[in-house]
Amino acid sequence: MKILLLLVITLTFPAFAQDSIVLGVHSKTAPLEWRNNGVDQGFNIELMDRIGQLTNKRILVRRKSFQQLVQDVYNPNSDIDVIVVVSPVNMDRKLAQSDPIYATHAKAYTLQGKGLINSWADLIGKRVAIKKGAFVDVFLSDHLQNFDRVDVDLYETGFQLLIKNQVDVVIAESFVARRLLPLYPSVRSSSDALIYGAFNFVANESKTELMYQINEALRQLKLSGEYDRLVNKWFGTGREKVDLTSSEKRMFALAILVAIISAIGMIFTGLISASLRRHTKALDAELIQRRRIEAEISELSKQFQSVLDGIPNGVTIVNQDLQHLWSNDNNIHLLDSAAFYYIDNHAFVLKTAVLEVLSSQTPLIAEMRYQQQFWQLQIHPIAEKQVVILLEETTEQHRLRQANEEVSRLASLGELSAGIAHEINNPTGLIVHAVSLFTAALKDLTPAARHYQQQNPFWLIAGLTPDVAIEELQYSCGSIEEGAKRISRIVNDLKRYAMPHIADQYARVCLNDVVQVAQRLTANQTKVHQISMRLCQPSPIIKGDAQQLHQVLINLIQNACHACTEQHGEIIIETRIAGNTAILSIIDNGCGMSSATLKRITEPFFTTRRNEGGSGLGLSVCSKIIKEHQGEMQMQSSLGKGTQISLIFALEQHT
């Protein structure tokens, strides 16, 4: 298939009829050429008739098969001298050919619902029907394509194979395809023009003179405007004419249509222009809308980026090669620090963690440490080779958790202390009762022992003389009684620590009276120190339990005495009013406390005087009592400079 023939017209100049031109016709495509009631007609027929008139030659029409016509045009002795074929644009022929008669093109056709063909590349691997000898065939002879070619004798044969699913695509000339599409409704045009071509008169090289005459006549028709009239008559404004072979009446109707085609063209052009203007306005409005939306999206993107950058936590997206695809750069440096490790002290390697998350596609959530800080690390897979890394500091949460555990532990300790106190109280009471009996008995036995010693001078009690033995027994009873009372005091402190407060039993308490009572009860301990009393007048009044407040102040005074030396010890006790609060302060110039000790001073059983008999419950009980009174205990201390403890209460009123 070297040549696509939409119309084949042959001009013959036989030796016996030099003034005649025979037209051989192969195509049946309207409006180029066809036969109606035995009469050959169409654009090519009428054009050739006018060329015959200008060259003073009679036009004869002869129809042959496509293959026969191709053979005749190459045979200088055949009765076929000239044919009309389609030539691909920019492709020379070895035969003599005329100026272009009419432009055409070829494109792809597929079944309805199949994908569009946008270029030759879309045909790769498909079965494509090509008409043998057509101008598509000629074009492909110099343009190799990667598809499976199926040669057919007619375009209609290709359409039939397409319906039977024996080919995927048919490349056909547009005039032929338009005639065939109404006959095959399941076929559709699926591409723009793939090949452009033009109709030309083609003759054997021996007919060069004849081709010269045809060209001259064709140019004359174009210059006179008659060629344009024929084009408008048969093609209109670029649209293919309907097939007029059905009846003479339709032929007449089309002739009328050709007559008014110019007016219709102007109307059509005006409508198209108006439509284009409306479409242009719509496109402009759409463009404005798109620009506005793009600006909003850009602004939203900036806001989103600003939010991400403002997040205090670190957010980073990395791939499996640890390339940072995006990051807000907050604390990301920790990931590469050797001081950043798991809370169980295992080393952290970022690449190992990322690869594990990517391989398992399971998030990693771990508690981390960095110097004195605590962090939560999260690594989540978000793509096949990407993860998002989240870093959040949890130092405060960790400390709160520790504090909560400490509170729970202390609560459990309080409950345990209450039970221990109950168990210890019973044997302690028995000891105190028995010691009292032993002391009384020793007083009664002393005269009898002296009388018996006079009768038996060598009598010994536990290896001691009776006087020494009785004195030792009296001393031991005193020691036992003092130890039992000390045990009782510790037990009472434990019970007080574990005992819930009863706020509704509080009464009005004069703070100055509390100070004076405590000072009298501790006079024996404070007599070796310089005591200063700075009491506010009138005395502040608070709501509370006087006995509990006495206990607190006595404990604080005793602690101050323990912290001061006997020679230079100075203790100041003062009361004052500040706004709506009453403040009771105890200030000493003793040894003071370190910051570590100050943090733990109110913990139960914590004491710096363990070797001196301290139980570590005094300040714990004091702190509990102050909290029950809705008060606050503030402590300031420095090693070697002394300590100040201030008790702050809500002021009830002045006296």
Side-chain angles (χ1 to χ4, degrees):
M1 292 184 179
K2 298 298 183 179
I3 307 170
L4 172 63
L5 294 181
L6 294 180
L7 296 174
V8 180
I9 302 174
T10 305
L11 300 180
T12 307
F13 296 87
F16 57 87
Q18 294 296 329
D19 58 349
S20 298
I21 299 176
V22 177
L23 305 176
V25 177
H26 162 69
S27 177
K28 296 181 180 180
T29 304
L32 297 172
E33 56 190 30
W34 75 96
R35 180 171 291 176
N36 185 20
N37 294 330
V39 178
D40 290 304
Q41 52 189 290
F43 172 75
N44 284 340
I45 302 297
E46 190 168 345
L47 177 62
M48 186 53 68
D49 283 340
R50 289 295 298 126
I51 291 175
Q53 294 174 13
L54 293 175
T55 57
N56 295 319
K57 297 183 182 292
R58 185 164 60 94
I59 302 300
L60 301 176
V61 177
R62 181 174 298 166
R63 292 188 177 271
K64 292 186 178 183
S65 67
F66 175 73
Q67 290 77 7
Q68 185 61 53
L69 290 172
V70 173
Q71 294 176 4
D72 287 343
V73 78
Y74 283 96
N75 183 5
N77 298 321
S78 71
D79 56 350
I80 302 300
D81 299 308
V82 179
I83 61 174
V84 177
V85 296
V86 180
S87 297
V89 175
N90 298 328
M91 182 172 289
D92 295 332
R93 287 187 176 275
K94 296 179 180 180
L95 301 174
Q97 63 182 33
S98 68
D99 294 340
I101 301 174
Y102 199 73
T104 186
H105 63 272
K107 57 184 179 178
Y109 295 86
T110 64
L111 292 176
Q112 297 284 353
K114 298 296 183 180
L116 296 176
I117 305 299
N118 297 312
S119 66
W120 290 99
D122 293 337
L123 297 175
I124 295 175
K126 290 184 170 56
R127 298 169 297 173
V128 182
I130 304 295
K131 181 181 176 181
K132 188 67 175 176
F135 90 106
V136 177
D137 186 13
V138 175
F139 175 82
L140 293 177
S141 64
D142 292 332
H143 298 78
L144 296 179
Q145 301 295 330
N146 295 323
F147 54 74
D148 295 333
R149 172 172 172 157
V150 179
D151 291 340
V152 295
D153 57 343
L154 297 171
Y155 291 124
E156 188 167 7
T157 303
F159 277 38
Q160 293 171 353
L161 294 178
L162 186 62
I163 294 174
K164 295 177 182 179
N165 201 27
Q166 295 180 5
V167 296
D168 302 310
V169 181
V170 177
I171 300 181
E173 194 273 330
S174 61
F175 284 115
V176 180
R178 289 184 188 180
R179 177 177 64 83
L180 294 174
L181 285 177
L183 303 177
Y184 299 93
S186 60
V187 179
R188 70 158 183 179
S189 169
S190 59
S191 76
D192 294 330
L194 297 175
I195 307 173
Y196 291 95
F199 286 99
N200 300 86
F201 291 118
V202 178
N204 191 276
E205 294 180 350
S206 63
K207 303 298 192 296
T208 303
E209 179 60 29
L210 177 60
M211 186 58 64
Y212 173 78
Q213 296 176 14
I214 291 174
N215 266 337
E216 288 299 319
L218 181 60
R219 293 166 187 166
Q220 185 175 347
L221 291 173
K222 289 181 178 181
L223 291 173
S224 66
E226 191 169 356
Y227 171 83
D228 294 333
R229 181 185 65 78
L230 290 176
V231 171
N232 286 329
K233 175 181 177 180
W234 294 105
F235 300 106
T237 55
R239 296 172 302 172
E240 182 184 1
K241 290 291 185 177
V242 298
D243 193 346
L244 300 179
T245 59
S246 59
S247 66
E248 291 288 341
K249 183 176 181 180
R250 293 188 65 190
M251 186 68 178
F252 179 73
L254 284 178
I256 295 176
L257 180 61
V258 173
I260 62 174
I261 197 66
S262 297
I264 294 176
M266 293 178 63
I267 296 173
F268 182 74
T269 302
L271 293 174
I272 292 296
S273 299
S275 176
L276 287 175
R277 286 194 296 271
R278 290 193 299 271
H279 189 60
T280 300
K281 290 181 179 179
L283 288 177
D284 291 341
E286 182 180 356
L287 182 60
I288 294 173
Q289 179 72 4
R290 286 188 178 183
R291 287 176 178 172
R292 184 182 64 81
I293 294 174
E294 288 175 357
E296 294 177 355
I297 293 175
S298 177
E299 182 64 24
L300 183 62
S301 177
K302 292 179 181 179
Q303 294 175 355
F304 182 68
Q305 184 66 38
S306 177
V307 169
L308 290 177
D309 291 340
I311 293 177
N313 302 333
V315 182
T316 303
I317 298 176
V318 301
N319 58 18
Q320 63 180 4
D321 298 324
L322 301 187
Q323 294 177 334
H324 288 205
L325 306 180
W326 182 89
S327 173
N328 62 0
D329 291 328
N330 289 335
N331 308 312
I332 301 304
H333 64 281
L334 298 181
L335 298 175
D336 300 320
S337 174
F340 189 66
Y341 52 89
Y342 293 103
I343 199 168
D344 59 2
N345 294 328
H346 283 82
F348 171 75
V349 180
L350 179 60
K351 187 173 184 64
T352 302
V354 170
L355 293 179
E356 287 180 357
V357 169
L358 288 175
S359 62
S360 65
Q361 287 296 297
T362 303
L364 169 67
I365 301 177
E367 297 295 327
M368 314 295 292
R369 290 195 64 176
Y370 177 74
Q371 296 178 357
Q372 301 300 319
Q373 299 174 336
F374 294 89
W375 295 81
Q376 184 184 70
L377 170 70
Q378 298 186 39
I379 305 178
H380 297 269
I382 58 174
E384 183 180 354
K385 297 182 179 179
Q386 296 178 11
V387 297
V388 60
I389 302 176
L390 306 177
L391 269 178
E392 179 182 5
E393 185 179 0
T394 58
T395 304
E396 187 65 26
Q397 294 91 322
H398 185 81
R399 290 174 179 171
L400 289 175
R401 186 164 59 250
Q402 287 183 325
N404 183 59
E405 293 173 356
E406 183 69 17
V407 169
S408 299
R409 184 178 66 82
L410 293 178
S412 300
L413 183 59
E415 295 177 1
L416 178 63
S417 300
I420 293 175
H422 177 75
E423 295 298 328
I424 293 177
N425 259 342
N426 291 333
T428 302
L430 294 175
I431 292 173
V432 172
H433 180 73
V435 167
S436 298
L437 177 62
F438 293 160
T439 303
L442 284 174
K443 289 181 180 180
D444 295 338
L445 290 174
T446 299
R450 290 174 180 172
H451 178 73
Y452 183 76
Q453 186 181 18
Q454 291 176 356
Q455 296 179 0
N456 188 4
F458 300 102
W459 178 53
L460 298 177
I461 300 176
L464 300 174
T465 62
D467 292 340
V468 175
I470 289 175
E471 184 179 353
E472 287 294 328
L473 287 173
Q474 289 176 342
Y475 179 79
S476 297
C477 288
S479 299
I480 293 172
E481 184 178 9
E482 182 180 354
K485 289 181 180 180
R486 185 168 181 271
I487 292 173
S488 180
R489 285 197 301 273
I490 293 175
V491 168
N492 289 334
D493 285 344
L494 282 172
K495 291 174 66 177
R496 173 67 63 184
Y497 181 76
M499 183 185 304
H501 74 283
I502 306 176
D504 56 0
Q505 295 182 358
Y506 289 167
R508 291 161 53 84
V509 177
C510 176
L511 206 57
N512 287 353
D513 291 346
V514 172
V515 173
Q516 291 170 354
V517 171
Q519 193 272 336
R520 287 196 300 271
L521 294 176
T522 58
N524 188 51
Q525 288 96 334
T526 60
K527 63 184 179 182
V528 298
H529 303 293
Q530 182 179 349
I531 305 296
S532 299
M533 306 283 286
R534 302 176 184 176
L535 304 183
C536 172
Q537 298 295 336
S539 175
I541 301 297
I542 65 173
K543 198 168 185 178
D545 186 318
Q547 186 177 358
Q548 291 183 355
L549 295 175
H550 292 157
Q551 180 182 353
V552 170
L553 190 54
I554 288 172
N555 191 288
L556 296 179
I557 292 174
Q558 290 176 340
N559 286 346
C561 291
H562 294 149
C564 295
T565 60
E566 294 186 1
Q567 294 80 6
H568 304 288
E570 181 179 356
I571 300 174
I572 301 174
I573 304 175
E574 66 176 13
T575 60
R576 57 190 174 92
I577 296 173
N580 294 324
T581 61
I583 302 176
L584 170 59
S585 298
I586 299 91
I587 307 168
D588 66 69
N589 63 347
C591 59
M593 293 178 285
S594 66
S595 59
T597 301
L598 197 61
K599 290 179 181 179
R600 301 187 58 193
I601 196 63
T602 58
E603 291 184 11
F605 305 108
F606 175 80
T607 179
T608 59
R609 300 179 58 251
R610 183 75 63 190
N611 296 331
E612 301 172 17
S615 64
L617 287 172
L619 284 179
S620 299
V621 174
C622 291
S623 177
K624 183 174 183 293
I625 292 174
I626 297 302
K627 291 179 180 178
E628 291 174 352
H629 282 72
Q630 303 298 317
E632 181 182 358
M633 183 165 64
Q634 296 180 351
M635 292 182 286
Q636 298 176 350
S637 183
S638 299
L639 285 174
K641 295 183 179 180
T643 301
Q644 175 177 335
I645 299 179
S646 299
L647 308 180
I648 304 173
F649 305 93
L651 184 65
E652 184 72 12
Q653 69 175 49
H654 295 180
T655 60

Short mmCIF file of all heavy atoms in Angstrom, two decimals, residues 592-622:
data_model
loop_
_atom_site.label_atom_id
_atom_site.label_comp_id
_atom_site.label_asym_id
_atom_site.label_seq_id
_atom_site.Cartn_x
_atom_site.Cartn_y
_atom_site.Cartn_z
N GLY A 592 22.94 25.86 109.73
CA GLY A 592 22.28 25.94 108.43
C GLY A 592 22.20 24.59 107.74
O GLY A 592 22.66 23.56 108.26
N MET A 593 21.62 24.61 106.54
CA MET A 593 21.42 23.37 105.77
C MET A 593 21.84 23.59 104.32
O MET A 593 21.72 24.70 103.79
CB MET A 593 19.95 22.95 105.80
CG MET A 593 19.44 22.52 107.16
SD MET A 593 17.67 22.10 107.11
CE MET A 593 16.94 23.73 107.00
N SER A 594 22.28 22.51 103.70
CA SER A 594 22.60 22.55 102.27
C SER A 594 21.31 22.50 101.46
O SER A 594 20.23 22.15 101.98
CB SER A 594 23.51 21.38 101.89
OG SER A 594 22.81 20.15 102.05
N SER A 595 21.43 22.81 100.16
CA SER A 595 20.23 22.79 99.30
C SER A 595 19.67 21.37 99.18
O SER A 595 18.46 21.18 99.13
CB SER A 595 20.57 23.34 97.92
OG SER A 595 21.61 22.58 97.31
N ALA A 596 20.55 20.36 99.18
CA ALA A 596 20.09 18.97 99.07
C ALA A 596 19.30 18.58 100.32
O ALA A 596 18.26 17.93 100.26
CB ALA A 596 21.27 18.04 98.87
N THR A 597 19.81 19.00 101.50
CA THR A 597 19.10 18.69 102.75
C THR A 597 17.78 19.45 102.82
O THR A 597 16.75 18.92 103.26
CB THR A 597 19.98 19.07 103.94
OG1 THR A 597 21.20 18.33 103.88
CG2 THR A 597 19.27 18.78 105.25
N LEU A 598 17.80 20.70 102.36
CA LEU A 598 16.60 21.53 102.41
C LEU A 598 15.47 20.93 101.58
O LEU A 598 14.29 21.04 101.95
CB LEU A 598 16.93 22.94 101.91
CG LEU A 598 15.94 24.07 102.26
CD1 LEU A 598 15.81 24.21 103.78
CD2 LEU A 598 16.39 25.39 101.65
N LYS A 599 15.81 20.25 100.47
CA LYS A 599 14.79 19.66 99.62
C LYS A 599 14.11 18.47 100.29
O LYS A 599 12.95 18.17 100.01
CB LYS A 599 15.40 19.21 98.29
CG LYS A 599 15.82 20.36 97.39
CD LYS A 599 16.44 19.83 96.10
CE LYS A 599 16.88 20.97 95.19
NZ LYS A 599 17.51 20.48 93.93
N ARG A 600 14.82 17.79 101.19
CA ARG A 600 14.30 16.55 101.77
C ARG A 600 13.91 16.69 103.24
O ARG A 600 13.53 15.72 103.88
CB ARG A 600 15.35 15.45 101.65
CG ARG A 600 15.79 15.13 100.23
CD ARG A 600 16.69 13.92 100.23
NE ARG A 600 16.03 12.76 100.79
CZ ARG A 600 16.67 11.64 101.13
NH1 ARG A 600 17.98 11.55 100.96
NH2 ARG A 600 16.00 10.62 101.65
N ILE A 601 13.99 17.91 103.77
CA ILE A 601 13.87 18.08 105.22
C ILE A 601 12.51 17.67 105.75
O ILE A 601 12.37 17.29 106.91
CB ILE A 601 14.20 19.55 105.60
CG1 ILE A 601 14.47 19.67 107.10
CG2 ILE A 601 13.06 20.45 105.17
CD1 ILE A 601 15.68 18.91 107.55
N THR A 602 11.46 17.72 104.92
CA THR A 602 10.12 17.35 105.40
C THR A 602 9.74 15.92 105.04
O THR A 602 8.60 15.52 105.27
CB THR A 602 9.07 18.32 104.81
OG1 THR A 602 9.13 18.26 103.38
CG2 THR A 602 9.29 19.74 105.28
N GLU A 603 10.67 15.14 104.48
CA GLU A 603 10.38 13.75 104.19
C GLU A 603 10.31 12.95 105.49
O GLU A 603 11.14 13.15 106.38
CB GLU A 603 11.44 13.15 103.28
CG GLU A 603 11.43 13.68 101.87
CD GLU A 603 12.45 12.98 100.98
OE1 GLU A 603 12.99 11.94 101.44
OE2 GLU A 603 12.73 13.48 99.88
N PRO A 604 9.34 12.06 105.61
CA PRO A 604 9.27 11.23 106.82
C PRO A 604 10.55 10.39 106.98
O PRO A 604 11.06 9.84 106.00
CB PRO A 604 8.06 10.33 106.58
CG PRO A 604 7.25 11.07 105.55
CD PRO A 604 8.21 11.80 104.71
N PHE A 605 11.07 10.36 108.23
CA PHE A 605 12.22 9.55 108.62
C PHE A 605 13.54 10.07 108.04
O PHE A 605 14.57 9.39 108.14
CB PHE A 605 12.04 8.07 108.22
CG PHE A 605 10.77 7.47 108.76
CD1 PHE A 605 9.72 7.20 107.91
CD2 PHE A 605 10.64 7.21 110.11
CE1 PHE A 605 8.54 6.66 108.41
CE2 PHE A 605 9.47 6.67 110.61
CZ PHE A 605 8.41 6.39 109.76
N PHE A 606 13.52 11.26 107.44
CA PHE A 606 14.78 11.86 106.99
C PHE A 606 15.31 12.76 108.11
O PHE A 606 14.60 13.66 108.57
CB PHE A 606 14.59 12.67 105.72
CG PHE A 606 15.84 13.40 105.29
CD1 PHE A 606 16.84 12.73 104.61
CD2 PHE A 606 16.03 14.74 105.60
CE1 PHE A 606 18.00 13.38 104.23
CE2 PHE A 606 17.19 15.40 105.23
CZ PHE A 606 18.17 14.72 104.54
N THR A 607 16.52 12.52 108.55
CA THR A 607 17.09 13.33 109.64
C THR A 607 18.60 13.38 109.48
O THR A 607 19.23 12.44 108.96
CB THR A 607 16.73 12.75 111.01
OG1 THR A 607 17.34 13.55 112.03
CG2 THR A 607 17.20 11.31 111.16
N THR A 608 19.18 14.48 109.95
CA THR A 608 20.65 14.62 109.99
C THR A 608 21.17 14.31 111.40
O THR A 608 22.38 14.42 111.64
CB THR A 608 21.05 16.04 109.58
OG1 THR A 608 20.43 16.97 110.48
CG2 THR A 608 20.59 16.34 108.15
N ARG A 609 20.27 13.92 112.30
CA ARG A 609 20.65 13.67 113.70
C ARG A 609 20.32 12.23 114.07
O ARG A 609 19.89 11.94 115.19
CB ARG A 609 19.92 14.64 114.62
CG ARG A 609 20.23 16.11 114.34
CD ARG A 609 19.47 17.05 115.26
NE ARG A 609 19.76 16.78 116.66
CZ ARG A 609 18.90 16.22 117.53
NH1 ARG A 609 17.69 15.86 117.10
NH2 ARG A 609 19.23 16.00 118.78
N ARG A 610 20.50 11.30 113.12
CA ARG A 610 20.18 9.91 113.40
C ARG A 610 21.02 9.36 114.57
O ARG A 610 20.51 8.66 115.44
CB ARG A 610 20.43 9.06 112.13
CG ARG A 610 20.07 7.60 112.28
CD ARG A 610 18.56 7.41 112.23
NE ARG A 610 18.04 7.82 110.93
CZ ARG A 610 16.74 7.95 110.68
NH1 ARG A 610 15.86 7.72 111.63
NH2 ARG A 610 16.34 8.33 109.46
N ASN A 611 22.32 9.73 114.58
CA ASN A 611 23.20 9.24 115.65
C ASN A 611 22.88 9.87 117.00
O ASN A 611 23.30 9.37 118.06
CB ASN A 611 24.66 9.50 115.30
CG ASN A 611 25.09 8.74 114.06
OD1 ASN A 611 24.55 7.67 113.78
ND2 ASN A 611 26.07 9.27 113.33
N GLU A 612 22.17 10.97 117.02
CA GLU A 612 21.82 11.66 118.25
C GLU A 612 20.40 11.32 118.70
O GLU A 612 19.87 11.96 119.60
CB GLU A 612 21.96 13.17 118.06
CG GLU A 612 23.39 13.57 117.67
CD GLU A 612 23.48 15.05 117.30
OE1 GLU A 612 22.54 15.79 117.66
OE2 GLU A 612 24.46 15.44 116.66
N GLY A 613 19.78 10.36 118.01
CA GLY A 613 18.45 9.92 118.43
C GLY A 613 17.30 10.56 117.65
O GLY A 613 16.14 10.38 118.01
N GLY A 614 17.59 11.31 116.60
CA GLY A 614 16.51 11.91 115.81
C GLY A 614 15.73 10.86 115.03
O GLY A 614 16.32 9.92 114.47
N SER A 615 14.40 11.04 115.01
CA SER A 615 13.54 10.06 114.30
C SER A 615 13.23 10.48 112.87
O SER A 615 12.81 9.66 112.06
CB SER A 615 12.22 9.87 115.07
OG SER A 615 11.48 11.08 115.09
N GLY A 616 13.37 11.76 112.56
CA GLY A 616 13.05 12.22 111.21
C GLY A 616 11.57 12.44 110.97
O GLY A 616 11.13 12.58 109.82
N LEU A 617 10.78 12.51 112.08
CA LEU A 617 9.34 12.71 111.93
C LEU A 617 8.90 14.10 112.35
O LEU A 617 7.76 14.50 112.05
CB LEU A 617 8.58 11.67 112.77
CG LEU A 617 8.59 10.24 112.22
CD1 LEU A 617 7.98 9.30 113.24
CD2 LEU A 617 7.82 10.18 110.93
N GLY A 618 9.75 14.84 113.03
CA GLY A 618 9.34 16.13 113.57
C GLY A 618 8.83 17.09 112.50
O GLY A 618 7.69 17.55 112.54
N LEU A 619 9.70 17.43 111.54
CA LEU A 619 9.29 18.38 110.50
C LEU A 619 8.23 17.80 109.57
O LEU A 619 7.45 18.54 108.99
CB LEU A 619 10.52 18.82 109.70
CG LEU A 619 11.43 19.82 110.39
CD1 LEU A 619 12.63 20.16 109.53
CD2 LEU A 619 10.67 21.11 110.73
N SER A 620 8.20 16.48 109.40
CA SER A 620 7.15 15.88 108.60
C SER A 620 5.79 16.11 109.22
O SER A 620 4.82 16.49 108.54
CB SER A 620 7.40 14.36 108.45
OG SER A 620 8.62 14.12 107.81
N VAL A 621 5.70 15.91 110.55
CA VAL A 621 4.44 16.16 111.25
C VAL A 621 4.11 17.64 111.23
O VAL A 621 2.95 18.03 111.01
CB VAL A 621 4.54 15.64 112.70
CG1 VAL A 621 3.29 16.01 113.49
CG2 VAL A 621 4.72 14.13 112.70
N CYS A 622 5.13 18.50 111.40
CA CYS A 622 4.89 19.96 111.36
C CYS A 622 4.34 20.37 110.00
O CYS A 622 3.37 21.16 109.91
CB CYS A 622 6.18 20.71 111.64
SG CYS A 622 6.75 20.54 113.35
#
